[in-house]
Amino acid sequence: MKKLLLTLLLPLSIISSASYGEELNSLFGITLYENAEKYVSSNYIGNNKVKNTETIKGYYDLNITNQIKVKSPYASIYWITLDRNNIVHSIYGDRNSENLGNCLATLENLSETIEDKYEIDFEYWENSFPGFKIYSYYHYNSLNDYYAIQCKEEYETSNIFLQIYFDTDDFGSATDDFYKSGL
């Protein structure tokens, strides 16, 4: 009887554990490391990409707000960052929030939902900068790609933004290099 139970239950447990909790690798229907031409035309890319201002070279930003197919209730503006070969290295979305309290409540709820869906544990980070303050939940996936959801409170304008982004490890390193260079 034990042998029969093991024969029946072992395959079920393997199927169950393999399908529960998928790897976090996409955002807004866009997947990191994919060619951006899968999502927008090469003509659109060529005519609209601009140099990324937080890297020294090799990365370009592209506003895809009007081209994105999967709209999110958590974002109204959408950008991707590409390398020279049009490979997606960053996916970004944001929206204005009424006030910091609403943004932080959304941040809490969204982080819990994502943790449950992807079986991850977010880390919390909060920091003040000269012009703004960040309240952030972040996670590194198995490729060391950086996923973050955060509220950004701008001091001068009093704007509050809910921001969601997903960066490849390479893009994160290029951004770090830019800031370390003192530019």
Side-chain angles (χ1 to χ4, degrees), residues 28-176:
F28 310 128
I30 299 171
T31 302
L32 291 177
Y33 304 103
E34 292 276 343
N35 191 305
E37 294 172 30
K38 180 176 179 180
Y39 308 105
V40 295
S41 73
S42 60
N43 205 23
Y44 181 81
I45 294 168
N47 291 329
N48 294 286
K49 70 181 179 181
V50 294
K51 187 199 173 312
N52 178 276
T53 58
E54 294 183 302
T55 56
I56 296 170
K57 61 181 179 176
Y59 290 96
Y60 305 90
D61 293 328
L62 182 67
N63 184 319
I64 58 167
T65 301
N66 294 327
Q67 283 68 37
I68 194 162
K69 294 179 176 96
V70 180
K71 301 285 185 180
S72 168
Y74 301 107
S76 56
I77 306 290
Y78 302 88
W79 289 83
I80 56 176
T81 302
L82 320 169
D83 65 15
R84 290 183 184 106
N85 298 315
N86 292 337
I87 301 302
V88 176
H89 283 271
S90 180
I91 307 158
Y92 172 87
D94 77 24
R95 75 159 198 223
N96 285 328
S97 192
E98 291 177 21
N99 58 54
L100 184 58
N102 285 350
C103 190
L104 293 174
T106 301
L107 186 64
E108 258 329 291
N109 290 333
L110 189 55
S111 66
E112 289 173 10
T113 300
I114 293 168
E115 281 182 325
D116 289 344
K117 179 177 181 177
Y118 294 102
E119 295 182 318
I120 61 172
D121 291 319
F122 277 115
E123 298 290 328
Y124 183 76
W125 177 76
E126 184 177 309
N127 204 353
S128 293
F129 298 91
F132 58 92
K133 184 169 184 173
I134 297 289
Y135 308 83
S136 180
Y137 284 100
Y138 68 92
H139 171 75
Y140 288 93
N141 70 7
S142 63
L143 296 174
N144 210 34
D145 300 325
Y146 184 77
Y147 181 85
I149 51 176
Q150 63 190 30
C151 293
K152 178 181 180 184
E153 176 184 22
E154 295 183 346
Y155 301 135
E156 191 173 308
T157 63
S158 299
N159 286 330
I160 308 293
F161 294 98
L162 176 64
Q163 301 174 314
I164 305 169
Y165 62 97
F166 204 5
D167 295 342
T168 65
D169 184 41
D170 288 341
F171 179 67
S173 294
T175 304
D176 289 346

